[in-house]
Amino acid sequence: MIPSKFFHKVILLAFVALFFLPQKALADHIVGGEFSYECLGFLNGDTLSGIKVYQIRINMYRDCVVEGNTGNAWFDGDPAGMGPNGEASPAAHISIYRSGTPNPIEETFLIELDSWRPVDINLGNPCLVISDEICQQIGIYEFTVELPVVDETYTLVYQRCCRNSSITNMTNSGQRGTTYFIDITPEAQELCNTSPRFNIDPPIAICVNEPFQIDLGATDANGDSLAYKFCFPLLGGGTDPGPPNAQTTTTFDDIVPRIESPPPYTPIVFRGPQFSIFDQLGVGSTLTIDSLTGLLAGEPIFRGTFVLGVCVEEWTRGPNPILLSETKREFQLNVSLCGNQVNADLLETELDDQGRFFIRQCGPGTNTIINESTNVNFITEYDWELMGPSGLITGSNRDFTSTINDVGVYEGIMILNRGSFAENCRDTAEFLLGVFPEAEAIFEATEVGCDDEPVEFTDMSTTAGTNQIVSWSWDFADGSTGATRQNPVHQYLIPGDFPVQLTITDDNGCTASVTNQVPYFPSPRTIIIEPEDGFGCVPYTKEFINRSRPIDDTYTFEWEFGDGGTADVASPTHVYESRGVYDVYLGITSPTGCFVDTVFQRLVDVREAPEADFFWTPDEVTNLFPDFRVFDRSRGATQLRYQIVNSMGEQVFTTPTPDFDFRLRDSSTYLISQFVTHPSGCVDTLTQEIKLKLRNSFFMPNAFTPNGDGLNDIFLPEGVLFGATNYQFRVWNRWGELVFASNEPEIGWNGRYKGSDSPGGGYLWDVSFTDVGGDEQAFKGGVVLIR
């Protein structure tokens, strides 16, 4: 074994630690990989050392990790990685062999993951979208090794088990592992060679029954000659095939081999006879690789998951080429259903009996055919060909514009992606361009004066050939249903400047339209105001609703309300402040100067109104004095009535008496309403709120006789303390001793202290509380105890 000083970035781990790492979860569904190397020159630039330094790169491919799925693979040797159960990512290692010896010169050369990213989906067909959800990730390991220059081949190898059990083209795939390796030959050592590196990631999916082309070419830093071929995927790790219940006998046979096995390596067994090295996608499918360019092409006919191997050989140039290296890429390819994204379509007038698009051009001149082909993102070429009257007309834009001045029907074709290798990317649309004589829409309308009369429309349309106008469609621009007669008459119900449109259709199916402004601003035949029964009471707000027709806001209005007031809007509102019967004048002028007016005799009757008013005493009604009296002070009323309603909306009292007495029985809000009527019939109402105010009263007697006769036996405050809080009552004797205390207003002193009757004489007291209004109250004084 070469001493470890020849290896850079070697990390030593105890053999037992590797042996007891979790097994199957470590590499479930690693799906592909490849090695490459770059010679960096002699160690420290010392040619006498005989040691050269190589930058090694491993690309490892795996199924995408799905959160929560404990069967996922993850990349070994990820410093920041976590396993599916939260454990740290296990170490990754390779073994290094030298030809001629079965023992590795480095058994467990530890490596770390540098980076990882998703693998792009490259279907090899620019016009397809895959239907299935497929995802792979690439992990990149880069590290250096230091190897003496020898006449033997070095082999760097990485092995793991197991593959996806769903692989279609190999047997027992779920129990078979894989081997990725690269040889550094004596010739490559001598020349300080750098192996070729693939330019793009391998394809992970293609489409069933669809052709594909994918460039799997590589780049060689030395400019050597490259040759591409199919090669066998290789087995590695796991348990070698054998009789039932066979036991592993070497360190190579574990799911994570303790040491990778030496070359040569065993190829996989294809599931025959349908699959082989020559039919990796199955008999009947086509699969080729260009030996000079690495272009992978074919068309699969079976769906499934397939393992493929592609090798690139590196040869020196010259008359006697030498094989320097062979880089093997193994990858897993999913063949799935896809959807075609290219469909030729034109904006046509109709389809003929052969399915061709028929596009009608009405009148000679320039015409543009609108292209509705999809999906635009997948279309790179448009080719148009139209056989015109003077020869072929071509175009390459999405839409096609041509100029034809001769009447006739011309054949054409539009081709999508003409240069694409994939038939599904190409599509065509055959069309006919019919050029017909022109028709011109023309009409006239009668001018409407000041009279509100219908408008007469006259069609004056013409044609440029033998074509005949066969239908007319009128849009009068007023929301009506229009007309289909050639010369209609239309009554407008509203004024305006209407953009009337006439559309004609000839016997060739060609249409033409014209729009003319038709002004319609007559004066109303009759001025109409919405009637209102009855009368109004001072102050009377009157709304005048103008029902005259036709009018709108472009008309001028002159209102005179008979009391000096005026207005200039269509339907005004006016307030009459004095009683009387009023004539109302209205004049209307249209935008074209048409004028009409009228006077509405005795239209508005405004009568005298009463005024409700009342008050009560006392002004403030309290729980101490809940009774009050209401007094009437209304004016102009001959009848009145009161109503009192409680906080629940219930009527609790009513009376026709002008003045009355009432008692409030709780502290809720009451509404007092007065309804008054004038001899004219006008009425008025006034409603006021009244609420019982809560108050406390307090009085202390100056003597008491606790002799048990039931009269004046207890000393306590008198009055109303309902709603009071923080109450405190205390009594002291002449020596300053506290003989009694209470925080309940209903509990007083019975003249006893410490279980005995207190002697007659004078005592001091104080009382404090917060009254119902929230104010602090405090009282003190003296009392005489009489025995």
Side-chain angles (χ1 to χ4, degrees):
M1 178 179 294
I2 293 178
S4 61
K5 67 178 182 180
F6 294 120
F7 296 88
H8 178 64
K9 203 175 174 185
V10 176
I11 304 173
L12 296 179
L13 285 182
F15 178 82
V16 67
L18 289 173
F19 183 81
F20 287 106
L21 283 173
Q23 296 297 300
K24 187 175 191 305
L26 288 181
D28 198 18
H29 312 329
I30 296 294
V31 299
E34 75 240 11
F35 272 80
S36 61
Y37 66 84
E38 176 186 0
C39 180
L40 302 179
F42 283 100
L43 178 65
N44 299 323
D46 183 4
T47 58
L48 298 179
S49 67
I51 298 172
K52 289 187 178 179
V53 180
Y54 296 87
Q55 178 80 29
I56 309 298
R57 176 181 174 123
I58 305 176
N59 291 339
M60 194 76 62
Y61 304 97
R62 70 173 179 188
D63 289 331
C64 287
V65 170
V66 179
E67 185 177 352
N69 186 349
T70 58
N72 290 314
W74 70 95
F75 291 120
D76 296 348
D78 184 355
M82 298 294 291
N85 298 312
E87 67 273 19
S89 173
H93 64 82
I94 65 171
S95 296
I96 303 176
Y97 288 88
R98 193 169 68 189
S99 60
T101 173
N103 297 319
I105 62 175
E106 183 66 24
E107 292 182 348
T108 54
F109 185 91
L110 298 181
I111 59 178
E112 284 187 355
L113 181 71
D114 286 278
S115 63
W116 66 272
R117 58 174 172 79
V119 177
D120 292 334
I121 293 180
N122 178 5
L123 299 177
N125 187 315
C127 303
L128 295 173
V129 173
I130 196 165
S131 303
D132 298 329
E133 183 175 349
I134 296 173
C135 180
Q136 289 184 18
Q137 295 164 336
I138 176 175
I140 300 172
Y141 300 81
E142 290 189 328
F143 53 94
T144 58
V145 297
E146 301 163 4
L147 300 173
V149 178
V150 296
D151 291 332
E152 297 172 306
T153 297
Y154 290 106
T155 299
L156 287 71
V157 57
Y158 175 94
Q159 294 178 326
R160 286 294 182 272
C161 188
C162 295
R163 303 173 185 269
N164 277 312
S165 60
S166 60
I167 293 177
T168 306
N169 62 343
M170 68 173 290
T171 61
N172 204 20
S173 61
Q175 302 298 318
R176 297 289 181 261
T178 185
T179 295
Y180 311 125
F181 78 97
I182 196 163
D183 290 335
I184 304 178
T185 65
E187 293 82 3
Q189 298 172 50
E190 185 67 30
L191 295 175
C192 199
N193 181 61
T194 294
S195 69
R197 182 176 293 181
F198 288 101
N199 296 324
I200 64 172
D201 295 335
I204 65 174
I206 55 176
C207 302
V208 66
N209 296 318
E210 298 290 353
F212 70 91
Q213 289 184 359
I214 300 173
D215 185 1
L216 289 188
T219 299
D220 185 74
N222 308 115
D224 294 322
S225 177
L226 303 181
Y228 302 88
K229 65 180 182 179
F230 290 121
C231 51
F232 277 95
L234 302 176
L235 297 175
T239 301
D240 290 334
N245 302 319
Q247 302 296 315
T248 59
T249 58
T250 75
T251 58
F252 312 139
D253 296 329
D254 296 323
I255 292 174
V256 179
R258 286 164 281 173
I259 301 173
E260 276 80 2
S261 65
Y265 299 109
T266 304
I268 69 167
V269 177
F270 281 103
R271 190 188 303 274
Q274 186 177 4
F275 301 97
S276 68
I277 185 65
F278 305 107
D279 293 297
Q280 297 188 53
L281 296 181
V283 175
S285 299
T286 58
L287 181 66
T288 62
I289 188 165
D290 190 300
S291 62
L292 298 179
T293 65
L295 181 67
L296 186 71
E299 182 174 336
I301 64 172
F302 302 107
R303 294 177 63 188
T305 303
F306 302 85
V307 58
L308 277 73
V310 171
C311 289
V312 52
E313 296 176 339
E314 178 189 12
W315 295 80
T316 60
R317 296 185 183 274
N320 299 304
I322 299 173
L323 178 64
L324 295 176
S325 72
E326 181 177 277
T327 300
K328 183 179 77 70
R329 165 180 274 181
E330 181 182 319
F331 58 97
Q332 179 178 287
L333 185 62
N334 292 275
V335 179
S336 302
L337 290 174
C338 298
N340 189 26
Q341 296 297 303
V342 174
N343 178 52
D345 189 18
L346 302 177
L347 179 61
E348 80 284 358
T349 306
E350 59 193 51
L351 294 175
D352 72 357
D353 54 4
Q354 298 180 39
R356 294 176 296 184
F357 298 93
F358 186 85
I359 295 136
R360 183 177 287 106
Q361 177 180 332
C362 297
T366 300
N367 179 72
T368 297
I369 300 176
I370 304 301
N371 194 339
E372 295 185 331
S373 300
T374 57
N375 184 322
V376 176
N377 295 333
F378 296 88
I379 303 174
T380 58
E381 293 180 83
Y382 299 92
D383 286 287
W384 296 84
E385 296 178 357
L386 175 65
M387 185 56 66
S390 301
L392 187 66
I393 304 172
T394 62
S396 59
N397 295 325
R398 178 169 172 82
D399 298 330
F400 179 61
T401 300
S402 62
T403 301
I404 298 178
N405 295 315
D406 297 336
V407 173
V409 178
Y410 305 93
E411 294 184 351
I413 188 171
M414 187 267 296
I415 307 172
L416 301 178
N417 297 331
R418 171 178 270 174
S420 176
F421 77 91
E423 183 178 351
N424 64 289
C425 278
R426 302 188 300 270
D427 199 10
T428 60
E430 296 183 3
F431 64 91
L432 300 175
L433 177 62
V435 181
F436 296 101
E438 186 177 13
E440 182 181 6
I442 307 171
F443 74 87
E444 291 182 350
T446 57
E447 295 185 6
V448 176
C450 293
D451 294 331
D452 180 17
E453 297 177 345
V455 180
E456 297 179 2
F457 294 91
T458 303
D459 170 45
M460 304 182 69
S461 302
T462 62
T463 61
T466 59
N467 49 323
Q468 300 292 320
I469 299 173
V470 296
S471 68
W472 298 261
S473 177
W474 295 87
D475 182 355
F476 301 118
D478 63 348
S480 63
T481 57
T484 56
R485 295 176 55 192
Q486 181 177 4
N487 300 305
V489 176
H490 183 65
Q491 176 66 62
Y492 284 98
L493 302 180
I494 57 175
D497 198 4
F498 298 99
V500 177
Q501 183 181 67
L502 167 62
T503 300
I504 59 173
T505 304
D506 67 10
D507 50 5
N508 292 320
C510 286
T511 61
S513 297
V514 65
T515 300
N516 295 334
Q517 295 297 127
V518 177
Y520 184 77
F521 296 100
S523 58
R525 292 184 179 182
T526 305
I527 297 179
I528 302 172
I529 297 177
E530 185 172 293
E532 183 176 321
D533 296 333
F535 55 88
C537 303
V538 176
Y540 176 38
T541 300
K542 167 67 174 176
E543 182 179 7
F544 296 90
I545 300 176
N546 194 341
R547 298 297 186 187
S548 307
R549 185 193 61 79
I551 60 173
D552 63 11
D553 291 340
T554 64
Y555 282 61
T556 300
F557 303 93
E558 302 174 60
W559 290 86
E560 296 178 4
F561 300 115
D563 64 346
T566 61
D568 59 1
V569 297
S571 297
T573 298
H574 181 67
V575 179
Y576 288 91
E577 302 289 353
S578 302
R579 65 185 180 87
V581 178
Y582 300 94
D583 298 338
V584 176
Y585 167 82
L586 172 58
I588 301 175
T589 304
S590 76
T592 57
C594 297
F595 175 77
V596 65
D597 66 348
T598 191
V599 176
F600 296 92
Q601 301 288 337
R602 302 179 64 83
L603 179 65
V604 181
D605 182 4
V606 182
R607 300 181 182 181
E608 195 69 46
E611 183 178 350
D613 193 14
F614 63 91
F615 68 98
W616 59 79
T617 60
D619 293 339
E620 184 179 82
V621 182
T622 70
N623 57 318
L624 303 178
F625 301 101
D627 296 322
F628 66 96
R629 184 170 182 80
V630 174
F631 294 94
D632 170 44
R633 57 182 178 193
S634 62
R635 291 177 294 276
T638 57
Q639 296 180 14
L640 65 76
R641 180 175 63 87
Y642 290 96
Q643 175 182 274
I644 299 179
V645 176
N646 63 17
S647 59
M648 303 296 292
E650 301 168 334
Q651 177 178 292
V652 296
F653 179 78
T654 183
T655 180
T657 305
D659 307 323
F660 64 92
D661 297 313
F662 193 75
R663 169 174 288 185
L664 295 179
R665 303 188 180 279
D666 57 59
S667 59
S668 62
T669 299
Y670 288 77
L671 298 179
I672 304 177
S673 299
Q674 183 189 62
F675 308 92
V676 296
T677 304
H678 188 270
S680 65
C682 291
V683 297
D684 192 22
T685 301
L686 174 65
T687 298
Q688 300 185 62
E689 290 185 358
I690 187 170
K691 186 174 183 179
L692 186 73
K693 303 293 185 180
L694 297 179
R695 295 288 184 265
N696 296 126
S697 62
F698 179 83
F699 169 76
M700 288 293 280
N702 56 13
F704 75 112
T705 57
N707 54 15
D709 63 357
L711 300 174
N712 203 22
D713 286 332
I714 304 297
F715 176 52
L716 78 166
E718 297 179 4
V720 178
L721 293 177
F722 176 78
T725 58
N726 302 320
Y727 174 83
Q728 186 178 48
F729 171 35
R730 298 179 296 182
V731 179
W732 288 269
N733 62 21
R734 69 184 67 183
W735 295 283
E737 292 179 293
L738 181 66
V739 299
F740 176 75
S742 173
N743 57 10
E744 297 291 338
E746 297 83 5
I747 299 176
W749 185 37
N750 60 5
R752 296 177 63 81
Y753 176 58
K754 293 184 178 180
S756 302
D757 291 336
S758 297
Y763 293 82
L764 298 177
W765 59 267
D766 69 5
V767 173
S768 63
F769 58 88
T770 302
D771 68 18
V772 71
D775 296 326
E776 300 295 330
Q777 304 290 343
F779 304 91
K780 61 184 176 178
V783 65
V784 176
L785 190 158
I786 302 174
R787 290 290 182 187

